[in-house]
Amino acid sequence: MNVKLLVSAMLLASTAVPALAEEPVFDPQAVRAHVTFLADDLLEGRDTGSRGYDIAASYVASQFVAMGLKPAGPDGSFYQKLTVREARLDGAPKLALNYGGKETVLSDTAQVLVRPSLTDKAVAVDAPLVFAGFGFDRPDLGFDDYKGLDAKGKIVVVLSGFPKGTPSELGAHLNSEKAVMAMKRGAIAVITVPTTEDSARRPWDKRVAMSDGPAKGWVGADGKAFARATGIRGTATLNPDAAAPLFAASGKPLARVLAEANRKGGRPRGFALKARASLSFANVWKDVTSENVVAVLPGSDDKLAGEFVGMTAHLDHIGIHGKGEDTLHNGAMDNASGVATMLEVARAVARDRPRRSVMFAALTGEEGGLIGSDYLARNPLVKGEVVGLVNFDMPVLTYMFSDVVAFGAENSTMGPVVAEAAKKAGIKLSPDPMPEEGLFTRSDHYRFVQQGVPAVFMMTGFEGPGEQAFRDFLKTNYHQPSDDLKLPFNWEAGALFAKVNYYTVLGLANGDERPRWYAGSFFGKEFAPGAAKAADPAK
């Protein structure tokens, strides 16, 4: 036997055919280890700007170091520092309603909840009231709630949420834009009245319990807090019981308005209320420093390395607040579980070194209004373009799920990638089972969507035991001290959640084409009108 010839042939064979990449193995105990650290009492709930959050940020940075990732911070570190303003009410606010020849003064939280202002130390507005239905001003989309109304210089009263039957992602977006739409109509303040459905989902006492925290926002170099609706001086939520006499004085029973809003397709028409209101309150501010933790993995393909796939998860939770024996909100599921699974996906992706570059970001201030993600999206750190983003937020890991919901997947060519990833992971995709929650606009990916970046955000699905487990968590543990390590975590589910997200990220980072918005996507047309679009998929 010619041994030299045989060895040469073997060498040629080994170089001619690339080795197959090993299938990733995700260790449930690795997910458990991250959650155990991040949800420990010593981190005191990881509130933005707190010592506990800073410890968590240092932990994530150390994980990025161990993976061999490159720091993306402007100072050569893993940190993008930002100033976050916390605004609290200074004393009791006052909302005076004048109708029927008398004045009704509301200042108790049982009647009205006033949001502190990040832009004015003192607020005092006095103006007529006008009711504008759900407050949507998009005639191009079939929503014309301001038709025939004069809102200039007035306080606009709107219902919460969006009309039943509206596609959930579109409705969630428009719901988040109500103050901006009111401002463009010339309004100076907005008062929201919860719908029947909204009140059933969030009873007034729960709203009161969740209102004791400050309003938050990032502060620019000019020392001013960023605000999108700069012309809106004040916002408040009015208990329907307190709002009923106001509507009755205008000959429009609130019960009838709410019944119309509770009907599928129901859109109560606007009208000028026979009343005016004055809203006054003072604010105290505290500015704190916090940080996003950001790393990058350079792509292996020089032609694609300038395109980045982003991975985000919020690192903060709501800290210590409230009343009772336990006031520490550990945030084990929200969002230690999201950070833990992101870190394990990052570890696997770093090993594989895909064609496109990847950006990894643990974000601050999500609980205060997607603050860290908004700051990063508006102040990018990567030397290239973020072309697609995968967000990790609160996978409920108390059961072994068999399906996932991928918010945003139907808007871009990321959808087929997610579908293939789910198939590889042995699970299926399901439609949004809770459209009333408007989840698409409530997590960090959305700030990137607003900058024109296609994005997906997965949650564990409702098949089998999923619905009961998910709804039980929302009802009993969401934003409660009980969201801690005593929950019945299924760490195998954590490993599976990491796997489906890994296949998604790798599919995006290795694809021949960058993600593109579909031509018919509202979000693509709204936020990336000049970007090349993909043909809508066949139905």
Side-chain angles (χ1 to χ4, degrees), residues 408-454:
E410 72 278 12
N411 289 298
S412 75
T413 56
M414 296 178 76
V417 177
V418 177
E420 180 62 22
K423 182 178 179 181
K424 285 184 177 180
I427 57 178
K428 60 177 284 189
L429 288 183
S430 294
D432 182 1
M434 299 187 298
E436 71 280 0
E437 291 287 346
L439 293 176
F440 186 64
T441 66
R442 289 172 52 187
S443 194
D444 288 314
H445 63 281
Y446 188 63
R447 295 304 185 219
F448 286 85
V449 169
Q450 290 176 305
Q451 298 303 315
V453 180

Side-chain angles (χ1 to χ4, degrees), residues 14 64 151 202 208 240 305 316 352 388 393 426 436 454:
S14 65
F64 287 162
R202 294 183 185 85
V208 173
D316 66 306
D352 291 337
D393 189 0
E436 71 280 0

Side-chain angles (χ1 to χ4, degrees), residues 77-378:
S77 73
F78 287 97
Y79 306 114
Q80 181 188 41
K81 293 188 178 296
L82 59 149
T83 299
V84 176
R85 175 161 298 163
E86 299 179 349
R88 295 180 183 273
L89 293 173
D90 187 10
K94 175 184 174 183
L95 175 65
L97 302 175
N98 292 275
Y99 55 87
K102 64 178 182 179
E103 180 180 80
T104 300
V105 178
L106 309 176
S107 58
D108 193 298
T109 56
Q111 301 165 315
V112 63
L113 297 173
V114 176
R115 177 178 168 81
S117 173
L118 294 161
T119 56
D120 295 298
K121 283 288 186 71
V123 172
V125 295
D126 187 302
L129 294 170
V130 59
F131 174 64
F134 281 101
F136 289 178
D137 192 21
R138 290 297 299 266
D140 58 318
L141 299 172
F143 298 98
D144 201 5
D145 291 346
Y146 282 86
K147 184 177 182 179
L149 300 179
D150 176 15
K152 189 172 182 179
K154 297 178 181 178
I155 298 172
V156 172
V157 179
V158 299
L159 298 176
S160 64
F162 50 86
K164 287 188 173 183
T166 304
S168 62
E169 294 184 352
L170 173 61
H173 164 73
L174 294 176
N175 184 52
S176 71
E177 294 285 296
K178 287 182 182 180
V180 174
M181 289 186 273
M183 177 188 69
K184 290 180 178 179
R185 283 283 183 161
I188 59 174
V190 176
I191 295 175
T192 300
V193 177
T195 61
T196 301
E197 182 181 55
D198 196 9
S199 293
R201 189 167 63 253
R202 294 183 185 85
W204 191 262
D205 58 342
K206 282 197 172 184
R207 292 176 189 272
V208 173
M210 295 177 67
S211 69
D212 65 340
K216 296 180 180 181
W218 60 267
V219 177
D222 59 0
K224 297 179 180 180
F226 174 77
R228 298 187 68 244
T230 54
I232 299 299
R233 300 284 313 286
T235 58
T237 302
L238 189 58
N239 190 322
D241 291 340
L246 172 66
F247 279 73
S250 298
K252 306 284 187 179
L254 180 59
R256 188 178 303 167
V257 172
L258 294 177
E260 171 65 13
N262 203 40
R263 181 178 64 82
K264 185 175 182 180
R267 302 183 186 183
R269 294 178 61 86
F271 52 88
L273 287 156
K274 297 176 182 179
R276 65 184 298 120
S278 62
L279 175 65
S280 58
F281 57 100
N283 308 279
V284 291
W285 295 342
K286 176 185 176 183
D287 288 356
V288 299
T289 300
S290 193
E291 58 277 325
N292 294 323
V293 190
V294 190
V296 295
L297 174 71
S300 60
D301 186 330
D302 290 342
K303 293 181 179 179
L304 299 179
E307 298 179 353
F308 285 78
V309 174
M311 288 171 51
T312 55
H314 76 87
L315 186 56
D316 66 306
H317 193 54
I318 57 177
I320 300 174
H321 71 91
K323 301 175 182 178
E325 287 186 18
D326 186 0
T327 58
L328 174 56
H329 295 66
N330 301 79
M333 208 72 73
D334 183 19
N335 183 39
S337 67
V339 174
T341 48
M342 184 195 75
L343 287 174
E344 287 310 294
V345 174
R347 191 182 314 282
V349 170
R351 180 202 65 191
D352 291 337
R353 186 87 187 281
R355 298 169 68 193
R356 283 184 179 82
S357 299
V358 185
M359 178 189 75
F360 310 88
L363 300 163
T364 190
E366 189 269 355
E367 301 289 6
L370 318 185
I371 297 167
S373 57
D374 192 45
Y375 190 81
L376 177 59
R378 293 173 184 272

Side-chain angles (χ1 to χ4, degrees), residues 413-422 500 503-508:
T413 56
M414 296 178 76
V417 177
V418 177
E420 180 62 22
V500 67
Y503 283 133
T504 299
V505 171
L506 209 63
L508 296 170

Side-chain angles (χ1 to χ4, degrees), residues 410-413 517-522 525 533-539:
E410 72 278 12
N411 289 298
S412 75
T413 56
W517 293 104
Y518 285 134
S521 166
F522 163 79
K525 290 185 284 189
K533 306 296 194 300
D536 292 331
K539 293 185 179 179

Side-chain angles (χ1 to χ4, degrees), residues 40-52:
D40 192 275
D41 285 356
L42 291 174
L43 274 67
E44 299 180 336
R46 309 186 307 279
D47 195 8
T48 300
S50 69
R51 181 174 179 270

